[in-house]
Amino acid sequence: MTVNMTKGQAISLQKNDGGSLTAVRMGLGWQAAPRRGLFGSRTREIDLDASAVLFADKQPVDVVFFRHLVSDDGSVRHTGDNLVGGVGQGGDDEAVLVDLSRVPVHIDQIVFTVNSFTGQTFQEVQNAFCRLVDETNGQELARYTLAGGGAYTAQIMAKVHRSGSGWTMTALGNPANGRTFQDLMPAILPVL
């Protein structure tokens, strides 16, 4: 059963049977919003990028994004860069896979971001979402709609963080500006 998350909401990543999730996928999907022009409605391609920044004690220690597809320890993997969105027909256009059982013990948070590499604002994006899927069985656990448009080019989507012996996901949905994850670091640090 999917939980439709709201900004700031946290959910435990424990399975209903009491076990812990071992592998999750953070999926990102989007479409370019049609714009009305002199000659009718048209869309412009938008290149959104998903990234995952790994933190140890509030210090960034690794990142997974379109130019570094696998974390140094191999526990986090990006499936590849989608330059236009919409190909998933409601599915994931980009995804970051996290093998929670392999994440080194010193990594205590993984922050997921999305940014418009081509510089368009979220006013030009529609049907954008991030979702968390149990990678072992394909079940969608949580979905967060990146709604509201806005004159910003990025969003700090969500984070997974250690909670006791398991993990918790928190939907953040904080607007930011930047074309890459590096540009977003000042906006990420306050949510750690």
Side-chain angles (χ1 to χ4, degrees), residues 16-176:
N16 291 339
D17 65 7
S20 293
L21 289 172
T22 57
V24 295
R25 174 175 18 113
M26 179 64 73
L28 168 66
W30 74 94
Q31 295 174 330
R35 295 185 344 203
R36 293 218 178 269
L38 187 59
F39 300 107
S41 187
R42 60 190 170 111
T43 59
R44 178 176 158 203
E45 292 180 350
I46 295 177
D47 179 10
L48 295 186
D49 290 320
S51 302
V53 185
L54 290 70
F55 287 88
D57 197 28
K58 298 188 180 188
Q59 297 297 315
V61 294
D62 202 355
V63 65
V64 173
F65 70 117
F66 68 92
R67 289 190 180 140
H68 186 244
L69 295 176
V70 180
S71 62
D72 293 340
D73 59 56
S75 66
V76 181
R77 185 171 49 90
H78 195 294
T79 59
D81 196 11
N82 179 321
L83 303 177
V84 297
V87 297
Q89 306 301 326
D92 301 334
D93 294 313
E94 288 194 12
V96 177
L97 307 170
V98 181
D99 184 342
L100 293 168
S101 63
R102 289 184 54 207
V103 173
V105 68
H106 71 285
I107 303 295
D108 54 9
Q109 297 185 68
I110 302 171
V111 177
F112 298 93
T113 66
V114 59
N115 53 273
S116 174
F117 188 74
T118 45
Q120 292 100 331
T121 69
F122 276 78
Q123 293 167 326
E124 298 177 68
V125 179
Q126 70 180 7
N127 301 325
F129 65 87
C130 70
R131 67 189 191 128
L132 192 69
V133 176
D134 181 341
E135 195 61 13
T136 61
N137 62 17
Q139 178 184 0
E140 184 174 287
L141 304 169
R143 178 176 287 260
Y144 180 59
T145 302
L146 304 172
Y152 50 88
T153 60
Q155 204 167 95
I156 313 306
M157 296 189 313
K159 69 178 178 176
V160 292
H161 47 98
R162 291 192 189 271
S163 178
S165 62
W167 292 84
T168 297
M169 176 188 172
T170 302
L172 298 168
N174 293 353

